[in-house]
């Protein structure tokens, strides 16, 4: 069986552990901006019982439009992530889309993320497991929570002892996602810690025609609901000015709003776990 709590860099995530926050911009734009966001996150969590992992993508391979900004690419993106880790001391994570990327990502990042659309890709899962790093797999928007048992089995059978599963919404017709909060409980019954992705859960896929839309006003109520269930980890994307972000701006939380939001979430989670 996989570890529960799971090891994530210097932290442990799961029962009896502080909330793990996986946060950062959707996509890397520059090292300077990434460092600004990382430092802002550190300030936001400093007074709270939260362990922070910095997240940013080197490539958004599933953009709606061909001409949409995808990121700096593997080599430059990993250089930036390594620099952020060295400057801040934070563990880092990024998503990978192809098996050949896993080894390089595993040399830099403490946590490897498998995107929801690729949750069933066996070669990608086994390549991620081969790095020896912790792997976080987002539940496909088209998958039932109990179907993630096969993801856990693939990873564990490939030698991965530290696994996280993320809930990020389920397709509800066209251009809409809904959250079935039972999934947080049901996936945790698979023996691994569970993450709630509060920002991708409010996406509206293709909602802007040539781009994905979203409703960031729904991030807080959904995150609070997950906190009330005592969720092991929270994933969210943030930016100093989300409306100027080249990806997922509509559902990202402004960096300045995070301290208040995180205080509320931790208060609810602590009450839920100790009531």
């Amino acid at each position: 069986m996989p570890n529960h709590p799971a090891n994530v860099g210097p932290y442990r995530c799961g029962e009896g552990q502080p909330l793990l926050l996986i946060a950062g911009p959707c996509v890397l734009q520059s090292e300077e901006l990434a460092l600004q966001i990382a430092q802002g996150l550190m300030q936001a969590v400093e007074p709270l019982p939260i362990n922070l992992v910095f997240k940013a993508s080197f490539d958004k391979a599933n953009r709606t439009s061909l001409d949409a900004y995808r990121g700096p690419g593997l080599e430059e993106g990993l250089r930036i992530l390594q620099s952020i880790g060295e400057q801040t001391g934070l563990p880092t994570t990024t998503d990978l889309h192809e098996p050949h990327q896993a080894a390089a990502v595993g040399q830099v990042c403490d946590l490897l993320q498998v995107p929801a659309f690729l949750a069933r890709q066996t070669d990608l899962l086994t390549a991620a497991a081969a790095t020896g790093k912790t792997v976080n797999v987002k539940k496909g928007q088209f998958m039932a929570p109990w179907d993630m048992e096969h993801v856990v089995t693939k990873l564990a059978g490939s030698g991965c002892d530290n696994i996280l599963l993320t809930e990020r919404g389920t397709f509800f017709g066209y251009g809409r996602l809904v959250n079935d909060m039972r999934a947080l409980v049901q996936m945790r019954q698979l023996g691994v810690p569970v993450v709630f992705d509060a920002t991708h859960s409010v996406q509206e896929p293709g909602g802007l025609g040539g781009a994905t839309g979203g409703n960031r006003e729904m991030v807080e109520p959904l995150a609070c609901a997950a906190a009330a269930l005592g969720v092991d980890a929270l994933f969210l994307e943030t930016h100093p000015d989300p409306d100027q972000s080249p990806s997922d701006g509509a559902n990202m939380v402004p960096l300045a709003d995070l301290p208040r939001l995180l205080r509320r979430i931790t208060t609810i989670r602590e009450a839920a776990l100790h009531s």
Side-chain angles (χ1 to χ4, degrees), residues 8-72:
V8 182
Y11 311 135
R12 286 170 65 74
C13 174
E15 187 174 355
Q17 303 301 313
L19 180 70
L20 184 74
L21 175 65
I22 304 170
C26 179
V27 65
L28 287 165
Q29 294 174 251
S30 69
E31 181 174 343
E32 293 74 20
L33 180 59
L35 182 60
Q36 176 189 349
I37 295 171
Q39 291 173 334
L41 285 165
M42 293 174 70
Q43 292 174 2
V45 304
E46 194 276 330
L48 300 171
I50 291 177
N51 291 328
L52 175 63
V53 175
F54 179 77
K55 176 270 166 190
S57 299
F58 61 81
D59 178 22
K60 302 301 293 184
N62 58 348
R63 297 303 306 274
T64 303
S65 301
L66 180 63
D67 58 355
Y69 176 73
R70 290 179 51 167

Side-chain angles (χ1 to χ4, degrees), residues 1 19 23 37 114 121 149 157 208 221 223 255:
M1 288 293 295
L19 180 70
I37 295 171
V114 175
Q121 296 297 102
E149 179 180 5
L208 300 179
L255 187 60

Side-chain angles (χ1 to χ4, degrees), residues 185-229:
V185 178
Q186 291 165 334
M187 288 198 296
R188 205 163 190 259
Q189 291 170 346
L190 300 177
V192 297
V194 172
V195 186
F196 179 68
D197 182 340
T199 47
H200 287 103
S201 288
V202 302
Q203 276 185 335
E204 296 173 358
L208 300 179
T212 291
N215 181 2
R216 71 173 66 100
E217 293 181 0
M218 291 293 103
V219 170
E220 181 166 343
L222 290 175
C224 288
L229 289 173

Side-chain angles (χ1 to χ4, degrees), residues 2 22 41 63 71 88 94 102 106 111 116 143 155 163 165 204 206 233 238 241 246 250:
I22 304 170
L41 285 165
R63 297 303 306 274
T88 64
T94 193
L111 176 66
M143 295 174 67
L155 288 170
I163 301 167
L165 298 180
E204 296 173 358
T238 186
D241 186 359

Side-chain angles (χ1 to χ4, degrees), residues 253-265:
V253 178
L255 187 60
D257 292 350
L258 278 185
R260 184 197 61 79
L261 174 61
L262 294 176
R263 285 195 301 270
R264 186 178 184 202
I265 288 168

